[in-house]
Amino acid sequence: SPRVTYPGAISGLAYQVTPGKRAMAIRVSEDQAVSRLIKPGDRIDVLALIDYTGGRKDALKVRTIFQDVLVLSTGLYISNSLPLIGLKVDEEVKKLNLNTYGNFNTITLELDPLQVQKVIFLNALGSQMYLSLRNNEDRSIDVIKPSKIYDVLEEDKEELKIFFEKIKEKDKNRASIGS
């Protein structure tokens, strides 16, 4: 079978993780991961839909959790996979399909230990995480305010607040009747 690296070479994902950082995989779908166009070596922002009220739509928030995060792998494909485009290689190596990044349902990110804890917490809460692809040269970290439904439906904000107030009032009435 063909060798991809020389014997004894230091390889694998662990050697790509920066000291002090951790590799953490998150499950993603096509709509959460830029149509699965993200590839190892890309930089992304991680956003989460947070529901801390148990389903009240008026209290849902979308928050940018992390910015400028390095993607270490997509599925089983890591960023040091050998590029095969334009190279003369054995047919056996071509059959390994080393440059296929689009068939994955997990993405491995390089995070610091506190960020890993936050991801675990968000997963435990059932929060959906979304990834937005950024230009690899854009390393800026911006202050981004969380978004609520009122921010999205700016023109209908007052109408929406009245609607949710009526729902809250009905819920209070039901609770007082039941007690």
Side-chain angles (χ1 to χ4, degrees), residues 121-168:
F121 188 73
L122 288 169
N123 281 334
L125 288 176
S127 296
Q128 284 191 315
M129 284 182 267
Y130 295 84
L131 311 177
S132 66
L133 183 63
R134 61 191 295 150
N135 184 300
N136 278 1
E137 301 299 316
D138 178 8
R139 305 299 302 274
S140 65
I141 304 297
D142 301 314
V143 176
I144 302 172
K145 183 180 118 186
S147 297
K148 292 176 111 178
I149 192 158
Y150 302 117
D151 300 319
V152 175
L153 302 173
E154 186 66 39
E155 297 133 18
D156 302 321
K157 186 189 299 190
E158 292 309 314
E159 184 180 331
L160 198 58
K161 283 182 180 180
I162 293 167
F163 172 77
F164 283 121
E165 286 300 321
K166 287 179 183 178
I167 290 175
K168 284 182 200 175

Side-chain angles (χ1 to χ4, degrees), residues 82-113:
L82 297 175
L84 299 179
I85 299 169
L87 294 179
K88 207 173 189 181
V89 294
D90 294 336
E91 285 303 312
E92 286 183 65
V93 173
K94 282 184 181 178
K95 287 178 188 174
L96 293 173
N97 209 11
L98 294 174
N99 284 350
T100 304
Y101 299 111
N103 187 18
F104 59 87
N105 60 5
T106 60
I107 288 186
T108 303
L109 307 175
E110 184 179 73
L111 302 171
D112 66 42

